[in-house]
Every structure is written in C-alpha cells, then in structure tokens.
Amino acid sequence: MVVADVLEVTTERETHMSEIDLTDLAARHDGSLNLHGYLARPSGEGPWPGVVMVHEAFGLDDVMRRQADRLASAGFLTLAPDLFSAGGARRCLVSTMRAMLSGKGRAYGDIEAARQWLSGSSDCTGKIGVIGFCMGGGFALMTLRTGFDAAAPNYGVLPRHLDAAVAGACPVVASYGGKDFALRNAAAKLESALTRAGVVHDVKEYPTAGHTFLNDALAGPKVMRPLMKVTGMVPDPEAAADAWTRIDGFFGEHLG
C-alpha cells in the first residue's frame, strides 16, 4: 500500500492525514493480528524523513493524533501505529505494558511494521526516527537498536538493563519532568548510560514539568482527570515548547 491508496484529508495545519491498514506488515513481524495506523504527511512535495510515533498508555486518541500532526507540520512523515487495534485499551493495555517492560511481544512487531511501511514508501527519504510518549517513551527506549536513525523518548520508563539497551544505540533526544516522581532521576541515569556508551544524545529534565507535560490537553478517561491534576500529569506549555524545539532540531540533524 502507498500513500496514494488511502484517504487523505487536509488539516488546519496543512498536513494530510490518513488511516492506514498495517495488518499484512504486522503479520510478517509477529505483530498484532489486526493493526491500523494514523499517518500524518507534511504539506508540499516530498520525500520527507519518517518518524514512527508510539502513543501513550491512554491510546491513539485525539491528543496523540495532534502530536503526529505537529511532527508532520515540522516536516516529518509520521506514522503512529495503534498498539490497541486488536481491542482497545481495556483489552490491550496490560499485555502491551508487559511487552514494553519485557522487550518481547506483539507491540514490537507493530512498531517494526510501521518502520517498514515508512521505509518502503516513496514519500520517505529512508531516514526514520522513533518518538514515544509515556508508555511509548518506554518503547522508544527499547527500540534504540532496531534500525532507527534517531529516537525521542519522552518520560519513558528506563529499560531494566539500561547499559545493554543503549549500547550501539542510535542518537537520542530525551525529555523528562522534574515533578514526575515515578521517574525520579530517570533523566540523570539515562544521561550517564548514554555517555558511557558513547551515544550522541541530548537529555533534559524540566523542573516545573510532570508526566505527560508535552500533551496539549488532559488525556484519558474523564473520571481520572482530577487525579491527574493532583499528581501533576498536566500540560506544561513552556517546557513543551522547549522540548519540541530540541526534538525538531535533533531530528532535523540526524534524519535530514
């Protein structure tokens, strides 16, 4: 399947959005039996560098789609596989989180299917990065050595065997929140591991930010949002603006 084979809609940001079927590619890589993805294509003439975007634990919702649109507006052909395609967050979240932590499972086949789709697209230059948020940030850290040219894990759980995970990794730009107490010292630990491994990197912790600070709105079930506010899982526009500047520049350098 090529981009021309799927429905395209122009957004207010002048990117082009498409819902695509990745099932056949997922089958080749032991991925999900049913896999769909959200493609955001920049305006104008390609080809463009590609980015696989891995969504957070709440799924590929409108907040995540806007993140993909934002990447496309910055000039990256962005494909976000829906890791919950087989049954939504209620049926897929636990197994997907287990896969992220263990390094094994269908989700990795799904991410590889998205990478292969971009690699085979005439709209892609062949340079492909991976970006993830929350759960997706953990997946981005676990796929540093799987063929990507750059990675942007955002507030992702560190791999259990961190030094092994980053040995021979692609360049990394990572962002964490200083008020994300579940990931206390994660930025410093990642910085040290990447330095030891000799991996090109840019790791930054934002003192005012909590978990999910790159989102432009609260995500997840409405019943959980009061708790999210109390625990600091809220947008931080100032920190997010700086983080996006770093991500755009880093991807521009290593995927351009």
Side-chain angles (χ1 to χ4, degrees), residues 2-165:
V2 297
V3 174
D5 294 330
V6 293
L7 179 63
E8 298 176 355
V9 182
T10 302
T11 71
E12 291 180 356
R13 294 182 180 181
E14 295 187 353
T15 61
H16 300 278
M17 305 178 301
S18 305
E19 298 289 342
I20 64 173
D21 190 340
L22 296 166
T23 302
D24 288 345
L25 277 172
R28 299 177 200 172
H29 299 283
D30 297 320
S32 296
L33 300 178
N34 177 36
L35 180 65
H36 297 277
Y38 177 85
L39 180 72
R41 190 178 70 169
S43 60
E45 296 293 327
W48 306 276
V51 172
V52 174
M53 193 195 86
V54 190
H55 59 74
E56 59 187 22
F58 293 128
L60 188 56
D61 57 14
D62 288 343
V63 173
M64 289 290 99
R65 286 182 169 86
R66 288 197 296 273
Q67 302 287 42
D69 294 345
R70 194 225 163 274
L71 283 160
S73 71
F76 303 104
L77 182 67
T78 304
L79 178 56
D82 183 354
L83 303 186
F84 301 158
S85 292
R90 289 186 179 181
R91 293 182 58 186
C92 301
L93 176 58
V94 172
S95 62
T96 305
M97 288 293 290
R98 285 176 178 166
M100 186 266 290
L101 294 170
S102 69
K104 300 181 293 183
R106 288 181 175 175
Y108 290 98
D110 296 347
I111 294 168
E112 178 61 15
R115 191 182 74 84
Q116 290 289 336
W117 192 95
L118 288 170
S119 179
S121 171
S122 60
D123 285 325
C124 182
T125 62
K127 288 284 190 177
I128 302 170
V130 60
I131 187 171
F133 306 90
C134 178
M135 178 186 76
F139 276 112
L141 286 167
M142 294 293 283
T143 55
L144 295 176
R145 303 187 302 166
T146 60
F148 289 108
D149 297 293
N154 298 293
Y155 30 88
V157 174
L158 299 182
R160 291 171 181 169
H161 306 290
L162 181 57
D163 285 330

